Amino acid sequence: MRNYDLTPLYRSAIGFDRLAQLAEHAASNKGNSGYPPYNIESLKDNRYRITMAVAGFTMDELDITSEGEKLLVKGTKVAEDKSRKYLYQGIAERGFERTFQLADYVTVTGADLENGLLNIELQRELPEALKPRKIEIGRSRVLESE
């Protein structure tokens, strides 16, 4: 894995530090393994869904936290009965922690666990000041000089 030095970007670009931090985070992958597998869907304008395969986890073992621009999904597996003797154990029973970076104004609107799939609904809600607005065209008055 390569490490990229983004120092030149910090020196020459003003106001892009958040973008550089996102690039550094994506490049480092900060421990996000491939477990559990997930999908990210674009449903409609400004609506998204993250679907995670969390087979074997109950609602009590899952925790979703949204703080600022980060979404943390954590699964903590309760210790199983040690008296079970598996001939083969292909279903992972380990905990996980997965972090998603959310864009500005993206909020979590709900979550649902069904058939081993955790669905997290997200929506981007732009403030009125940032939405496009129509500018009326009128006649300008010429100021008369005195």
Side-chain angles (χ1 to χ4, degrees), residues 80-92:
E80 288 287 323
D81 182 14
K82 298 290 182 184
S83 64
R84 283 182 143 174
K85 183 179 176 185
Y86 291 101
L87 298 177
Y88 173 76
Q89 186 176 4
I91 299 172

Side-chain angles (χ1 to χ4, degrees), residues 18 21-22 64-72 99-109 122-125:
R18 186 171 183 285
Q21 289 170 351
L22 287 174
I64 303 170
T65 307
S66 177
E67 183 179 339
E69 288 120 9
K70 290 192 182 202
L71 173 65
L72 175 66
T99 303
F100 297 93
Q101 187 72 34
L102 302 178
D104 292 336
Y105 312 112
V106 173
T107 58
V108 178
T109 59
L122 304 131
Q123 184 166 351
R124 181 191 327 248
E125 297 174 355

Side-chain angles (χ1 to χ4, degrees), residues 2-135:
R2 291 184 185 173
N3 287 332
Y4 296 100
D5 181 18
L6 298 176
T7 306
L9 179 64
Y10 288 122
R11 285 194 307 251
S12 61
I14 299 167
F16 291 95
D17 51 330
R18 186 171 183 285
L19 180 62
Q21 289 170 351
L22 287 174
E24 284 178 346
H25 176 75
S28 69
N29 199 14
K30 298 204 178 180
N32 275 344
S33 67
Y35 178 75
Y38 64 92
N39 295 333
I40 301 175
E41 295 177 75
S42 175
L43 301 175
K44 290 184 180 178
D45 289 341
N46 298 319
R47 289 189 52 228
Y48 308 93
R49 177 184 296 139
I50 299 171
T51 303
M52 299 180 75
V54 292
F57 284 87
T58 65
M59 281 192 247
D60 295 334
E61 296 171 328
L62 296 170
D63 185 46
I64 303 170
T65 307
S66 177
E67 183 179 339
E69 288 120 9
K70 290 192 182 202
L71 173 65
L72 175 66
V73 182
K74 188 175 182 179
T76 307
K77 203 64 181 139
V78 176
E80 288 287 323
D81 182 14
K82 298 290 182 184
S83 64
R84 283 182 143 174
K85 183 179 176 185
Y86 291 101
L87 298 177
Y88 173 76
Q89 186 176 4
I91 299 172
E93 290 188 354
R94 64 182 186 265
F96 67 89
E97 207 172 282
R98 167 119 4 228
T99 303
F100 297 93
Q101 187 72 34
L102 302 178
D104 292 336
Y105 312 112
V106 173
T107 58
V108 178
T109 59
D112 186 34
L113 180 63
E114 183 179 353
N115 297 327
L117 296 174
L118 175 64
N119 294 303
I120 303 169
E121 306 291 331
L122 304 131
Q123 184 166 351
R124 181 191 327 248
E125 297 174 355
L126 287 176
E128 286 298 320
L130 295 178
K131 290 182 181 177
R133 60 186 174 100
K134 179 129 176 107
I135 308 298

